[in-house]
Amino acid sequence: MAGLGYIITATYLPFLVHQVLPEVDSSHIWAVFGLGAMPSCFIWHKIHQRLGSQLALQTNLGVQALGVALPTMGSSSSFYLLSAILVGSTFMGTVTIAMSAAQKIKYRVKFNMLAVMTLSYGVGQIIAPLLAEALRAYSETFNSSLIAAAIGLVLAGVVVTKPNRASTN
């Protein structure tokens, strides 16, 4: 769900900005996305250390879902700019938190947890553009695609919610 959730914004943000705000240089919004990503692994690692895996990942996915949904809430450049900052500053943090958490529990399973996580993240990244295009063709807007991506991120946050049998923080 995390791979599916972020990739629609990451893939289509410049296109969406150009389509909705032709007077705004979409490369500037895209650059903000990248600037948000640069320090994110360090920031989310610290948050992960402070809050633990579950709460850090839920927070990360919630912030990311808000960022993905923002362009559906308004068409001003500030919505797209904030979307770029929120998604850019969280998507790599998701991986930072999840991989670190997986390292702590990998001995409890009989398969390569990191490989399965990487595969599932990649599958989400492959499926998402196909889903986005199908939803866009049906609704004639990318809003439904962004909403589906945000819902995917919220669902990922719900999946992370589990009874805490043993501390995995």
Side-chain angles (χ1 to χ4, degrees):
M1 298 310 299
L4 181 142
Y6 97 90
I7 198 66
I8 292 175
T9 300
T11 301
Y12 294 105
L13 187 62
F15 172 75
L16 294 170
V17 170
H18 180 71
Q19 194 174 43
V20 176
L21 301 164
E23 70 281 1
V24 174
D25 187 342
S26 61
S27 65
H28 293 159
I29 304 290
W30 186 242
V32 169
F33 186 97
L35 289 171
M38 285 175 37
S40 68
C41 292
F42 300 107
I43 293 167
W44 285 104
H45 179 69
K46 284 289 189 192
I47 293 170
H48 179 218
Q49 286 179 320
R50 173 166 272 166
L51 300 179
S53 301
Q54 186 176 348
L55 187 53
L57 196 52
Q58 289 170 327
T59 302
N60 173 282
L61 293 167
V63 170
Q64 196 172 154
L66 174 62
V68 167
L70 271 172
T72 69
M73 298 176 196
S75 59
S76 75
S77 57
S78 47
F79 283 98
Y80 288 89
L81 186 60
L82 188 54
S83 174
I85 292 167
L86 293 179
V87 179
S89 66
T90 53
F91 81 99
M92 288 174 53
T94 306
V95 176
T96 300
I97 297 164
M99 290 299 193
S100 179
Q103 286 283 25
K104 291 177 184 174
I105 64 168
K106 70 181 180 182
Y107 302 106
R108 296 183 195 173
V109 296
K110 296 179 189 220
F111 57 89
N112 185 332
M113 172 90 67
L114 298 177
V116 170
M117 289 174 66
T118 302
L119 173 67
S120 63
Y121 197 80
V123 167
Q125 290 177 302
I126 293 167
I127 291 170
L130 301 172
L131 172 66
E133 182 53 33
L135 289 171
R136 188 211 53 79
Y138 178 75
S139 66
E140 297 181 7
T141 176
F142 269 105
N143 283 354
S144 56
S145 302
L146 293 171
I147 291 167
I151 289 170
L153 290 164
V154 169
L155 289 175
V158 170
V159 168
V160 172
T161 305
K162 62 165 182 50
N164 213 0
R165 286 180 268 147
S167 178
T168 56
N169 294 334

